[in-house]
Amino acid sequence: MSDPQKTRDYLKIFGPAVLITAIGFVIAYQFVDPAPPQRITLASGATDGAYYLFGQRYRDILAREGVELVVRDSAGSIENLQLLGLPEGGAEVGFVQGGTSAGEPVLGLTSLASLYFEPVWVFYRASDPVTELNQLAGKRVAVGAPGSGTRAVALQLLADNEADAPNVEILPFGGKAAASALRTGGADVLFLVGSPNSPLVRDLLHDEGIDLMSFERSEAYTRIHRYLSSVTLPQGVIDLGRNRPAREITLLAPTANLVASPSLHPALVDLLLQAAEEVHAGGGLFEPPGQFPSRLHLEFPLNENARRYFKSGPSFLKRFLPFWAATLIDRLLVMLVPLLALAIPLVRVMPPVFRWRVRARIYRWYRSLLALDPALHEAATPAELERFLNELDRIELDVSRVNVPLSYADQLYHLRLHIELVRDKLRGAIAARTE
């Protein structure tokens, strides 16, 4: 037979198998996560703060992998929590200061990592020393803008020392405005929570008219508030030449957390944590290299994808492939198991089915051929044998129209030989009965 016939045979046999596999492929695809977005938003902080600066570094790192990170400025951690809790128009990820979520619970948020210690800096004019927060009665204290993490922690510490309103005058602003008020006499004390890399913190630490309070009772604060740690700012570490600070200072420090909203695509967790490692793993004034990013000191439960990352690092594919390629293969792997579950049995079953189908075209004639064998009809009359011979001619004509693949042509020719063998026997039987 011709090759086109073989092709038709293959299509008849393997076509349904391919169709079944394709249907399984479509069904499995329904369980594949959608592709990660190419654009996400990071809620950071004030444009003169460390959160915003770190956000810009994250943006540059993610851009290398083809993901646009929009760094959205905000009043601080409280506003960031609100943005992360919005179903639309908010942010997928944000920086949140430890200890700020108690008053603003948001369901579904998870922590990706803690990033670094961000101390509570209590600055005062050097001409009016402050050694303890319980000495602030009657003073004007800048605690940060509404929506900032600084304000949340400052008010908590002031309340612990009975130094909150009305005992002190609370000034509802922070940042550069608060620093300016402190320098010009518009404020007596300034609370800041942030990285020592913040330009505002650096400026205040270098200002000889401004001094920094040391938390001598840091052990008590850390026992009362578990989100706080005690860190030490060594003498002279800011400026050895000018010996700034002039003494060793003990500070209280929550950690900065990278927090994800429920809408963050799981594939982006590894990418964000790799960016966090690149930015924060080198350590700082209060962190030895390698301490952060960490799964400790978290504000919310650890994200499950982050848990896997901390346990075994990036996936094998993400270590060696671009982000888009690794995520595409990861998504398609979900389909591989059901696809193989269908394809392997079909591949094993279809060849025997194909062989059976082709041989069936040949073997079905042997029943008719066997029925005409004169050895089974010893008492047949010559007329009956002639009728058998005519029937055999019809069978031979039908067999001549049978098409099989070339690899099965030998079996077709064996059938024709057997037809000829039965014809010879019939002719011999007819001759014997007419003698």
Side-chain angles (χ1 to χ4, degrees):
M1 63 154 279
S2 62
D3 284 338
Q5 178 62 40
K6 184 176 181 179
T7 301
R8 287 193 293 272
D9 286 329
Y10 273 118
L11 288 176
K12 290 178 181 178
I13 299 299
F14 289 96
V18 172
L19 179 61
I20 293 171
T21 303
I23 293 172
F25 189 88
V26 171
I27 294 173
Y29 189 78
Q30 307 307 310
F31 298 93
V32 176
D33 288 332
Q38 297 299 304
R39 186 176 187 267
I40 60 172
T41 299
L42 169 74
S44 59
T47 55
D48 59 352
Y51 284 174
Y52 190 80
L53 296 178
F54 284 133
Q56 291 178 314
R57 294 181 64 184
Y58 279 51
R59 178 194 62 198
D60 295 340
I61 294 170
L62 266 63
R64 300 200 301 254
E65 298 293 344
V67 177
E68 180 186 359
L69 181 67
V70 178
V71 181
R72 179 170 178 173
D73 64 286
S74 70
S77 295
I78 301 298
E79 184 178 348
N80 289 353
L81 287 174
Q82 295 168 350
L83 291 171
L84 289 167
L86 293 176
E88 294 183 4
E92 289 80 12
V93 65
F95 295 123
V96 175
Q97 174 192 305
T100 58
S101 65
E104 295 285 341
V106 182
L107 296 177
L109 299 189
T110 55
S111 291
L112 302 185
S114 57
L115 305 175
Y116 58 90
F117 290 119
E118 44 181 5
V120 180
W121 310 89
V122 181
F123 292 103
Y124 56 87
R125 291 194 304 277
S127 59
D128 189 10
V130 175
T131 58
E132 288 292 348
L133 295 182
N134 56 16
Q135 301 172 350
L136 299 183
K139 294 186 180 294
R140 296 162 298 172
V141 182
V143 297
S148 67
T150 296
R151 183 184 181 88
V153 173
L155 292 178
Q156 179 64 68
L157 296 179
L158 290 173
D160 290 341
N161 289 272
E162 299 181 357
D164 50 349
N167 298 321
V168 300
E169 182 181 350
I170 301 298
L171 304 179
F173 52 80
K176 291 181 178 179
S180 177
L182 183 63
R183 289 187 173 107
T184 59
D188 301 307
V189 176
L190 163 63
F191 276 81
L192 280 177
V193 177
S195 164
N197 296 318
S198 166
L200 184 56
V201 172
R202 286 277 177 176
D203 287 346
L204 290 169
L205 288 172
H206 282 91
D207 192 325
E208 294 186 356
I210 304 296
D211 211 342
L212 179 64
M213 191 190 92
S214 179
F215 285 87
E216 301 301 332
R217 297 181 295 171
S218 62
E219 185 70 18
Y221 286 108
T222 58
R223 295 292 181 89
I224 296 171
H225 303 295
R226 293 296 180 179
Y227 67 89
L228 294 174
S229 300
S230 178
V231 297
T232 300
L233 187 68
Q235 179 180 350
V237 73
I238 300 300
D239 190 334
L240 283 170
R242 298 167 58 195
N243 195 33
R244 302 287 297 173
R247 67 192 187 285
E248 184 178 280
I249 296 177
T250 301
L251 299 172
L252 299 176
T255 55
N257 279 224
L258 187 61
V259 176
S261 78
S263 63
L264 179 68
H265 194 286
L268 293 170
V269 172
D270 281 17
L271 193 59
L272 286 164
L273 287 174
Q274 286 176 298
E277 283 190 346
E278 184 172 335
V279 173
H280 305 290
L285 282 181
F286 306 108
E287 309 90 4
Q291 181 178 3
F292 290 98
S294 170
R295 57 186 298 173
L296 305 177
H297 315 292
L298 299 179
E299 185 71 359
F300 295 96
L302 182 62
N303 181 281
E304 285 303 316
N305 291 286
R307 188 186 306 278
R308 175 195 52 75
Y309 183 92
F310 281 114
K311 182 178 180 180
S312 55
S315 68
F316 176 81
L317 293 173
K318 290 176 182 175
R319 292 175 189 172
F320 301 102
L321 295 176
F323 173 73
W324 68 268
T327 52
L328 176 62
I329 295 173
D330 272 341
R331 293 170 61 232
L332 294 180
L333 283 176
V334 175
M335 305 170 64
L336 185 61
V337 173
L339 199 60
L340 290 177
L342 285 172
I344 290 177
L346 288 174
V347 168
R348 293 173 64 91
V349 167
M350 287 302 105
V353 171
F354 177 78
R355 289 193 298 271
W356 171 83
R357 180 181 174 85
V358 174
R359 288 174 178 172
R361 296 179 191 170
I362 299 171
Y363 293 160
R364 75 185 189 87
W365 296 106
Y366 277 98
R367 182 178 290 106
S368 300
L369 193 61
L370 186 63
L372 299 178
D373 194 325
L376 301 177
H377 305 281
E378 293 182 358
T381 65
E384 288 176 326
L385 293 176
E386 284 289 348
R387 183 170 57 79
F388 291 164
L389 192 61
N390 292 333
E391 180 68 15
L392 187 64
D393 291 339
R394 184 192 64 77
I395 291 174
E396 185 177 34
L397 180 63
D398 288 341
V399 169
S400 68
R401 298 192 182 102
V402 173
N403 289 320
V404 295
L406 291 176
S407 56
Y408 293 88
D410 60 329
Q411 297 182 37
L412 181 62
Y413 278 99
H414 273 97
L415 173 60
R416 290 179 176 179
L417 288 173
H418 292 154
I419 290 173
E420 191 61 31
L421 175 64
V422 173
R423 177 180 285 113
D424 289 343
K425 291 176 69 175
L426 282 171
R427 286 173 178 170
I430 292 171
R433 283 169 175 71
T434 58
E435 289 180 355

